[in-house]
Amino acid sequence: MKVLVAVKRVVDYNVKVRVAADNSGVDLTNVKMAMNPFCEIAVEEAVRLKEKGVATEIVAVAVGPKEAQEQIRTALALGADRGILVEAADAQPLAVAKLLKAIVDQEKPELVIMGKQAIDGDNNQTGQMLAALAGMGQGTFASEVNVADGSVKVTREIDGGLQTVDLKLPAVVTTDLRLNEPRYASLPNIMKAKKKPLDIKSPGDFGVDVSPLVKTLKVEPPAERQAGVKVADVAELVDKLKNEAKVI
Amino acid sequence: MSVLVYAEHDNASLKGVTLNTVAAAQKIGGDIVVLVAGSGCGAAAEAAAKIAGVSKVLVADDAAYAHQLAENVAELVAEVGKGYSHILAPATSIGKNFLPRVAALLDVQMISEISGVVNATTFQRPIYAGNAIATVESTQATNVMTVRGTAFDPVAAEGGSAAVEALSVAKDAGVSSFVGEELAKSDRPELTAAKIVVSGGRGMQNGDNFEMLYKVADKLGAAVGASRAAVDAGFVPNDMQVGQTGKIVAPQLYIAVGISGAIQHLAGMKDSKVIVAINKDEEAPIFQVADYGLVADLFEAVPELEKLV
């Protein structure tokens, strides 16, 4: 079966971001970019399905700026077969979901795997929205995925523990951190990935309007915490908590 | 203006986070209607009718909603929600699962995890793991939003007397089914609602050592959390994880034991009123946000702490 994997280019998760001086957003000049960590897990899961003989072809899709080609090449180096980039910087989740829906209509994958959230916008929406638009079942926050007999069993991380659901294929699965441990791309695979096909499209090709429906008025740093004190021992700590902070 | 609030419950009782979500609805203003969807959820609906400030409770009681499957619940909420100016759900694993689906069905862009209400069309929400706060404006006909419970003080659970109205809408999308669930059992308070949270990280070294934290927690009436490192190492189950990808907590007191304080962990706890860090590495980033820091070996400090509290 064909598997579609969506990947996003985001600020590297180790970078401590700074708010731009004019409060228009986050300062992204000269900041290291990378594939969103949850998307790496999605690619890894697709590659494992291929290694098990369940998946026959993996298509990696990104919606983003021109530079997002790098993240598609990374997915290709990890084992995806070909890539599609829709060039649209700053598209909001609903627009991304509509673009992915158009690609799903065209490619007809049986399974779409994507991350549960991107670590820049922290929205946690796109997979659910795609599933709604395509009329598919959704297995969000997946920590285990088993494909068998035209359906997929997904074990999901929920607030109180784990829940397992059974979805008819085609379906959308969004990955949680514990689904797998992503591999690293080897140098020969990175070289080979350069020769794999990568289609470049624009939102207009799919008739999707990507203008924002929710406008960002300003972005500010969070309130700073006051500097704390170091205590010498446990007795002093307990004393401060009881008599100064009065929290115990 | 009219606000539809999706109630979180276990059929028998309401989850506390519903009260925080109603509080956000009150800041928006207008008529507040609570929707209770489940199976055999009459008791939860009665509890919802008593919430202060609620004008009406709608109940959709059907087997299709028994396990809050997103496919079925989203169709219900999208149909019931038409005509409301705002649709709110708590930003829990249930709300995050079905609400984006509702937004897509209504063809609107959703706003996730609001932490502030400026006015009926302008909201605040954290982005980049809480390292920036965005103020966003929506002029859509329906504003679909999840609410970060810890950012709003709960309204009173008693005092209201809303009318309860049964809905006879059974939506079964027919694409998903519930197989089973494994819930972690705990007698301690729920992590996201606890007034005190004691969390352990990689420094705990193994799962057995968490016993020390449980003992302290039991004396303080606290919940026990963990960093991602502790969960990944298998010390404790994943539903104890505090952070960007786990639970967001904002207790009166947060005690971080053997936790270095990575950006992703801080995203889940830095709105706590008082933060205490116990770590033997005095360079650990957790000390930059801690109100009280103790540089010490946790294996000596934690048992002593248990004795003294």
Side-chain angles (χ1 to χ4, degrees):
Chain A
M1 69 177 191
K2 190 192 277 189
V3 177
L4 195 79
V5 189
V7 297
K8 185 175 184 185
R9 174 185 175 87
V10 298
V11 170
D12 184 276
Y13 73 96
N14 284 311
V15 172
K16 182 141 171 53
V17 296
R18 276 174 214 285
V19 170
D22 64 355
N23 294 116
S24 61
V26 162
D27 190 359
L28 296 180
T29 44
N30 299 324
V31 168
K32 188 184 172 204
M33 304 295 280
M35 187 190 290
N36 180 43
F38 292 101
C39 303
E40 288 181 358
I41 294 168
V43 172
E44 175 67 29
E45 194 64 17
V47 173
R48 289 187 189 187
L49 285 173
K50 196 176 172 193
E51 287 168 348
K52 275 193 249 170
V54 177
T56 49
E57 189 187 22
I58 302 170
V59 183
V61 184
V63 176
K66 190 164 75 225
E67 295 79 12
Q69 283 188 37
E70 291 166 24
Q71 280 62 47
I72 294 184
R73 290 287 172 207
T74 304
L76 296 174
L78 292 167
D81 296 290
R82 60 190 171 87
I84 302 172
L85 170 65
V86 184
E87 270 191 32
D90 303 324
Q92 291 181 338
L94 182 65
V96 175
K98 285 179 178 177
L99 289 166
L100 293 175
K101 159 71 165 60
I103 292 170
V104 162
D105 286 347
Q106 183 183 300
E107 296 284 340
K108 301 200 166 37
E110 279 180 274
L111 193 61
V112 181
I113 311 181
M114 51 207 291
K116 78 165 177 180
Q117 78 190 61
I119 58 166
D120 50 359
D122 281 335
N123 283 305
N124 193 334
Q125 297 176 7
T126 311
Q128 294 90 315
M129 287 182 156
L130 169 63
L133 297 174
M136 294 180 189
Q138 64 185 53
T140 52
F141 327 144
S143 62
E144 200 181 330
V145 174
N146 285 303
V147 180
D149 308 325
S151 79
V152 56
K153 273 200 177 57
V154 180
T155 300
R156 308 176 51 233
E157 300 202 0
I158 59 170
D159 286 338
L162 298 170
Q163 179 194 63
T164 305
V165 293
D166 189 73
L167 311 169
K168 281 185 190 159
L169 293 177
V172 176
V173 168
T174 74
T175 62
D176 215 320
L177 281 171
R178 268 159 292 279
L179 181 58
N180 60 47
E181 182 128 355
R183 70 191 69 188
Y184 292 98
S186 66
L187 189 59
N189 285 345
I190 292 171
M191 301 311 289
K192 275 185 224 157
K194 291 183 176 164
K195 298 203 179 73
K196 289 184 179 176
L198 197 172
D199 272 353
I200 295 179
K201 303 276 191 190
S202 76
D205 296 342
F206 304 103
V208 173
D209 180 5
V210 293
S211 47
L213 295 168
V214 172
K215 202 164 85 185
T216 299
L217 301 179
K218 62 179 172 189
V219 175
E220 296 163 304
E224 291 271 335
R225 287 191 76 94
Q226 298 235 321
V229 293
K230 291 251 170 76
V231 292
D233 53 31
V234 176
E236 189 188 345
L237 174 65
V238 173
D239 176 63
K240 294 241 186 221
L241 290 177
K242 277 184 179 156
N243 302 316
E244 194 175 278
K246 299 190 194 332
V247 283
I248 57 172
Chain B
M1 234 167 357
S2 50
V3 187
L4 184 69
V5 173
Y6 188 85
E8 184 141 331
H9 61 86
D10 59 4
N11 291 315
S13 63
L14 279 182
K15 291 274 165 76
V17 69
T18 306
L19 302 174
N20 305 74
T21 310
V22 170
Q26 281 187 339
K27 290 204 167 165
I28 293 167
D31 222 19
I32 299 170
V33 176
V34 173
L35 172 61
V36 179
S39 180
C41 57
E46 277 169 35
K50 290 189 191 127
I51 302 176
V54 171
S55 68
K56 189 162 69 172
V57 175
L58 302 173
V59 191
D61 199 327
D62 193 275
Y65 312 127
H67 301 285
Q68 311 279 329
L69 290 177
E71 297 81 359
N72 303 349
V73 169
E75 289 200 16
L76 169 75
V77 177
E79 183 171 313
V80 174
K82 275 180 199 148
Y84 286 87
S85 60
H86 299 75
I87 303 175
L88 269 51
T92 56
S93 63
I94 291 174
K96 289 175 182 179
N97 189 32
F98 84 87
L99 205 64
R101 215 174 155 105
V102 172
L105 293 174
L106 295 173
D107 196 26
V108 297
Q109 176 56 54
M110 181 181 139
I111 304 173
S112 294
E113 295 220 22
I114 59 163
S115 56
V117 174
V118 178
N119 58 47
T121 54
T122 309
F123 310 96
Q124 287 176 315
R125 60 176 302 263
I127 55 174
Y128 288 89
N131 287 302
I133 308 296
T135 303
V136 300
E137 184 183 38
S138 162
T139 49
Q140 303 174 103
T142 309
N143 293 292
V144 178
M145 304 185 285
T146 49
V147 174
R148 176 170 286 195
T150 55
F152 297 90
D153 292 329
V155 297
E158 302 283 338
S161 57
V164 179
E165 187 182 308
L167 296 174
S168 54
V169 220
K171 297 273 185 191
D172 190 344
V175 289
S176 59
S177 55
F178 173 82
V179 177
E181 62 189 2
E182 252 180 81
L183 299 181
K185 287 192 177 61
S186 170
D187 298 331
R188 292 184 191 89
E190 203 189 334
L191 197 49
T192 52
K195 289 206 162 48
I196 302 177
V197 173
V198 182
S199 276
R202 198 196 306 271
M204 298 303 296
Q205 294 183 5
N206 62 48
D208 294 339
N209 289 336
F210 264 75
E211 275 303 321
M212 297 193 307
L213 299 188
Y214 295 142
K215 283 186 192 159
V216 176
D218 289 345
K219 281 187 92 169
L220 291 168
V224 178
S227 70
R228 183 184 165 193
V231 173
D232 280 352
F235 300 172
V236 291
N238 66 279
D239 53 291
M240 283 170 63
Q241 184 180 327
V242 172
Q244 184 184 20
T245 59
K247 295 200 171 107
I248 313 285
V249 300
Q252 294 288 308
L253 173 61
Y254 187 89
I255 305 177
V257 181
I259 292 176
S260 64
I263 296 172
Q264 292 78 10
H265 185 74
L266 300 183
M269 45 64 81
K270 67 184 168 133
D271 291 327
S272 305
K273 188 163 172 275
V274 174
I275 297 175
V276 168
I278 300 175
N279 204 304
K280 65 180 176 192
D281 174 13
E282 62 180 316
E283 301 293 318
I286 191 78
F287 286 119
Q288 290 165 19
V289 300
D291 298 282
Y292 301 109
L294 175 63
V295 180
D297 184 348
L298 68 93
F299 293 100
E300 286 162 20
V302 174
E304 201 185 335
L305 180 65
E306 189 216 328
K307 263 184 238 146
L308 293 177
V309 293

